[in-house]
Every structure is written in C-alpha cells, then in structure tokens.
Amino acid sequence: MLRVNRDDERPIWQQLLDQAIHNITTGKWPPGELLLPSRELALLIGVSRSTIQIVYEELYSRGYTVTSRRGGTRVSEWTYATQTSGETSAQGPIPPELPLLNAAIGHLHSWFGDKDERIIEIDFTPHEPYLDEHFQRNWRQSFLQASSEAGLDSWTYGDAYGFRPLREQIQRYLSLERGVHVDIDQIILTSGAQHSIDLIAQALLHEGDTVSVEDPGFPAAWMAMKYRRMQVVPVPVDEYGLCVDRIHPGSKLVFVTPSHQCAVGVIMSEPRRQQLLHMAAEQRFWIVEDDYDSEFRYRGDPLPTLFSQQPQNTLYMMSFSKMIAPGIRISAIIGPKEAIRQLAQIQELTYRHLPIMEQLTLAHFIRHRHFMRHMRRVRNVYRRRHAAMTKAINASGLSEHFTLSGVETGLHMLLESHKSFDDEAVTSLALEKGIRVYPLSRYCLESNRKGWVLGFAKVDEAAIEEGIYRLAGMLV
C-alpha cells in the first residue's frame, strides 16, 4: 500500500510516484499486475483522485505501466527487478587503451612544467605573458559593454569562420601592423594553436602523410600531428633557423616558427626563407607559419611574414595567448580562401563555432584601442625585463660558459649547454632552490641539444636578477 508522509516536504504526488516506481523496479509489483482504479486507490490512501491520476499518468509516460480501456492499468511486461545488494553491481564499458594519447599528454604536461608541491619563488616560464590589473580593468570594461551592446542575433549559432566583426578587426590589425593584406574569408578563428593545428591536419592532410617539424621545436605541434596519425619527421635547427635542405622530400606540410624559433629563439635567415618558399612552391607542400610572439622585437620592427611573400601555400597562425592572455583562447589562421573554407567545414562539423562572449569582448577590446594601448604598455615592460635578463646572464658569468641565443625577439631566450650536460638534473636541482627553468630537451624529438629555455615575461627585474644569479651558483 502506498502511504503519505505529511512531514515530507515533497509534494504528495511525488511521494506516491517514488513509492510506486520502487515497488515496480524491485518486483513488489510484478509485470502484468493490475493496479487499483484511481478512484478506489484515492479513497484507500486518503488523497484526491486527481493526485492518483497524476501518479498513474507519470508511470505511464515513463513506461512503467500500460493501460487499456477494458484492461485497466497494469505494470509493463518489460520491467524487471533490480539486482539485490548481494549481487555484483553492473559495470559500464571500459575505455580503450590509448598509449599515444597518454604519452602525448604526459609530454605536454612535462613541457609546460610539471606541477610540483615545492614552493616556486621564481618561474622563468616561456608560456605566459605579463598581465596586470590595468589589463583586467579594461577587459572587464569591454566585456560589460560588449554584453550590453549585443543583440539577440549574437546568441544564435555562429559562423564557423568566427565572429565577423572580430575577423574584421584582425584583418585591419594584420594590414596595418604586419603588412599582411587579406580578404575577410581568408581568416578563420580557433581556440588556440593546438586547435589550429588539429584543424589543419583534418582539413588539409590525410592519415599517414609526412609532416616535417623543427627539432627542437613546438611540442604541441608534433604531438597533435602524431595523434592524427601523421608521419612526423624532425628537421634540425641551427643558428640560421630551420635547415631547409634537411626537409623530408615527401613532406606534405612543414611547420616552422621563422620570426622567433620556438625553442632556440633564432630568427630564420633571409636565404633560408627564400629556400623554403622556393621548395614549397616546387614540391607543392603547405608551410604552416606560427607567428606566436614576433610582435615583441627589441631591434627594429617585426620581420615580414612568409605568408606576405608567398600566400598561395602558406598558412599563417597568430594567437592572442602571448599578445594578451592564454585564457582568452582565441587564435586565427590566415591562408588561401579554398584552404580556409575547408578548415571552416571541419570546424562546422566538429566544433561548430567558438563561444560568442570572448569574441564579442575581444572585438570591442581591439576596436576601442585597448589592445594597442596594452601592446605599447607590455612592450615597455618586456623591453626592461629583456634587458635585465641579458645583463644578469652576462654579469653572472653564465654567458662565458653557455651560449645565449634568441635575444632579438620574443618573450624567451635560450641558454644552451654542451650536449653532455644533464639539463633535466639541473632543472630538478633548480626546483629545490625555488627556481623553475625549462630544459631544452623537452622541446626535442630526436635532437640531443641541451640547455634551458628562459622566459622573462612574468618575472620582474629584481626576480630575474635573483633567479639568474641562483642559477649561476649551480652552473658556474
């Protein structure tokens, strides 16, 4: 018999429904059992007939009962008693083993810097830019204003290419600041470099295609390509950048960071650039140009892009992670219209579109010149910190024992050691002394080059000097 508990805060119909479902699923009311008519059950329990009718309608709509005009309401034949407490509980499917994925994620975590319980006093991270309250205040202002100005049509399904007003702002920035002149449909927005690379792999390559990457280089690039079942071939890097003559002859794509090599920090020389462009045109492979931090140059203006010289087979990747903040998660790929169209088709199929609020906010942030003011401000900060880093490395004696490179552009530089050096051991020792440095070996596929990639964007001048002198105390 169903019972009503007047002290229960749940509605009476909900109490009765829960009891009825329990009786059915435990077998107390077996399949085929005829339930009492609603009027009769209401009298027995002491509730209104409408309450019982609600319960019966819910049981029927959920499939627990069947009803007919002559046969009344019966428990459905398909229902069955649940396992008793003594039986083994049901197990769900077991996820498959994915060794390639697990290895890639493990390497990615290692590259970013393993989480450590020890206190890190000075972190020479090359991955994060400088942020301050001034930025946060302006971003909040853009967020609030963009939210209030957005019409209802902004909240529908968006364009797979990305929010058009934001692409227009990027188009204008590229034209004025980078000398890259494109149509709006040559720009697609993504949620970061790894998303960009994954789209490129899906849209422009086939499984098993050969891809050439810098070694040392950008680990996330070759990890994403490997996961998409590409044959990743390492290409050495020297003081002039990518060794173009070592590119695999069957390559369908070459990933390169010419303006500030991802690990070593060198600038790709003009002869190498021309050699790469000529080879790409001749062998008809894609060049993916990652221009992740070249806006920050300490000698002269930012260098011309490969895309501006040969746009027909170059995909130019830009990101706001280093220019503003990684948390924004907005990047862009610029390329030939047909290639970008295919990327947009993949985007539409797999991701649909990026979240609108970040796009609205960034478009407002750029349009109202917060972005350019932010860039001017952080360039001054980086210039001071860059000078503090180079001065400390020279004054501490590190430059006499190790090779310093990558000092012209970007937010990190390389302190390279002899190949016999154990850069991982030094990294661990530095952690014990409260300093996090990033070993070059984690940027390598097959290369045995050693050293430390030292970022300075998030470390103030005093901490830079302190950290470098502590490092020198271990190495010199």
Side-chain angles (χ1 to χ4, degrees):
M1 175 66 67
L2 304 180
R3 300 180 185 278
V4 175
N5 180 0
R6 300 294 176 181
D7 296 326
D8 195 327
E9 294 182 354
R10 293 176 298 163
I12 291 174
W13 71 266
Q14 185 71 62
Q15 295 181 43
L16 299 176
L17 176 64
D18 291 345
Q19 293 175 50
I21 291 174
H22 175 75
N23 289 344
I24 293 172
T25 56
T26 57
K28 189 174 182 179
W29 292 355
E33 178 163 323
L34 179 65
L35 303 187
L36 291 175
S38 59
R39 190 186 303 276
E40 185 177 340
L41 183 59
L43 290 172
L44 284 173
I45 298 174
V47 298
S48 68
R49 184 187 179 194
S50 62
T51 298
I52 300 301
Q53 287 176 327
I54 291 173
V55 173
Y56 278 14
E57 286 170 2
E58 278 295 313
L59 290 173
Y60 175 75
S61 66
R62 300 187 192 191
Y64 288 107
T65 60
V66 293
T67 185
S68 64
R69 185 170 296 178
R70 293 183 179 181
T73 298
R74 295 179 181 274
V75 176
S76 295
E77 294 290 342
W78 63 264
T79 57
Y80 58 92
T82 57
Q83 295 176 330
T84 63
S85 58
E87 296 176 320
T88 305
S89 61
Q91 298 293 320
I94 299 174
E97 293 290 333
L98 297 172
L100 192 61
L101 177 63
N102 294 335
I105 292 298
H107 194 137
L108 195 65
H109 288 170
S110 173
W111 172 60
F112 268 112
D114 295 321
K115 291 183 178 179
D116 200 286
E117 294 182 356
R118 289 169 285 191
I119 297 174
I120 306 300
E121 298 174 26
I122 302 170
D123 188 348
F124 288 109
T125 174
H127 308 301
E128 297 183 46
Y130 167 77
L131 294 172
D132 60 12
E133 292 181 359
H134 192 83
F135 154 73
Q136 193 169 29
R137 184 168 58 252
N138 287 336
W139 184 264
R140 186 184 299 115
Q141 179 183 337
S142 285
F143 177 85
L144 294 173
Q145 291 181 0
S147 300
S148 63
E149 294 169 5
L152 290 176
D153 57 341
S154 297
W155 302 99
T156 61
Y157 286 106
D159 190 336
Y161 281 83
F163 186 49
R164 186 180 180 91
L166 176 54
R167 288 187 290 133
E168 289 171 348
Q169 292 299 323
I170 292 173
Q171 177 191 39
R172 185 171 181 272
Y173 171 79
L174 289 171
S175 178
L176 294 175
E177 301 293 327
R178 304 295 285 123
V180 174
H181 308 289
V182 293
D183 294 333
I184 195 70
D185 54 358
Q186 289 182 259
I187 301 173
I188 184 172
L189 304 181
T190 69
S191 63
Q194 288 156 269
H195 180 193
S196 296
I197 294 162
D198 190 50
L199 276 182
I200 290 168
Q202 292 184 71
L204 304 180
L205 299 173
H206 293 99
E207 186 175 314
D209 278 352
T210 299
V211 174
S212 289
V213 299
E214 297 167 319
D215 185 21
F218 182 39
W222 40 264
M223 281 187 264
M225 291 292 185
K226 278 188 172 183
Y227 189 67
R228 287 295 177 185
R229 301 293 193 275
M230 305 302 161
Q231 299 297 320
V232 176
V233 178
V235 181
V237 175
D238 62 17
E239 66 268 31
Y240 303 109
L242 183 76
C243 297
V244 177
D245 55 357
R246 301 282 296 276
I247 291 174
H248 190 282
S251 295
K252 300 296 183 184
L253 180 147
V254 174
F255 183 90
V256 65
T257 52
S259 296
H260 186 229
Q261 207 278 330
C262 175
V264 181
V266 297
I267 295 172
M268 193 175 189
S269 69
E270 188 59 30
R272 290 276 179 89
R273 289 167 179 254
Q274 294 306 317
Q275 184 184 7
L276 176 61
L277 294 171
H278 177 76
M279 182 184 290
E282 190 175 66
Q283 299 182 16
R284 300 187 69 180
F285 59 70
W286 293 104
I287 297 172
V288 175
E289 177 184 12
D290 188 0
D291 197 25
Y292 64 101
D293 70 355
S294 67
E295 287 83 1
F296 309 113
R297 191 153 191 250
Y298 309 104
R299 299 174 188 172
D301 296 328
L303 297 168
T305 64
L306 297 175
F307 179 84
S308 62
Q309 298 177 68
Q310 191 164 294
Q312 64 270 23
N313 60 338
T314 303
L315 296 162
Y316 176 79
M317 287 172 43
M318 66 172 291
S319 173
F320 290 95
S321 292
K322 293 289 176 68
M323 288 193 285
I324 304 180
I328 293 174
R329 302 311 300 154
I330 294 181
S331 297
I333 309 172
I334 295 90
K337 288 184 181 181
E338 184 58 26
I340 297 300
R341 185 188 68 81
Q342 289 197 192
L343 266 65
Q345 288 180 316
I346 296 293
Q347 177 110 300
E348 188 167 15
L349 178 66
T350 56
Y351 305 98
R352 191 61 188 90
H353 61 86
L354 302 185
I356 188 59
M357 202 59 243
E358 287 81 359
Q359 297 180 84
L360 282 166
T361 305
L362 182 55
H364 186 282
F365 194 77
I366 299 174
R367 185 171 66 252
H368 291 269
R369 302 198 59 76
H370 294 308
F371 174 64
M372 292 308 300
R373 286 193 288 269
H374 172 79
M375 290 292 285
R376 283 196 296 270
R377 189 171 66 257
V378 298
R379 279 189 178 116
N380 290 330
V381 171
Y382 295 150
R383 191 170 286 108
R384 292 195 300 270
R385 295 182 177 185
H386 172 271
M389 177 83 89
T390 52
K391 180 181 178 181
I393 289 173
N394 289 324
S396 66
L398 284 172
S399 60
E400 297 174 15
H401 298 82
F402 303 93
T403 303
L404 181 63
S405 62
V407 297
E408 292 186 21
T409 303
L411 305 181
H412 75 263
M413 53 188 73
L414 174 69
L415 194 64
E416 187 163 9
S417 65
H418 190 271
K419 292 177 181 178
S420 61
F421 233 91
D422 189 345
D423 57 4
E424 290 281 2
V426 173
T427 300
S428 297
L429 181 60
L431 272 174
E432 293 177 6
K433 296 183 180 295
I435 304 169
R436 190 192 294 278
V437 293
Y438 295 75
L440 180 62
S441 54
R442 295 181 188 175
Y443 291 76
C444 297
L445 259 173
E446 294 181 359
S447 173
N448 61 351
R449 294 175 69 170
K450 299 294 175 61
W452 301 273
V453 177
L454 303 174
F456 51 83
K458 287 199 75 174
V459 194
D460 65 34
E461 290 90 321
I464 287 172
E465 183 177 3
E466 173 68 20
I468 292 299
Y469 272 89
R470 283 198 211 176
L471 193 61
M474 292 182 285
L475 295 172
V476 178

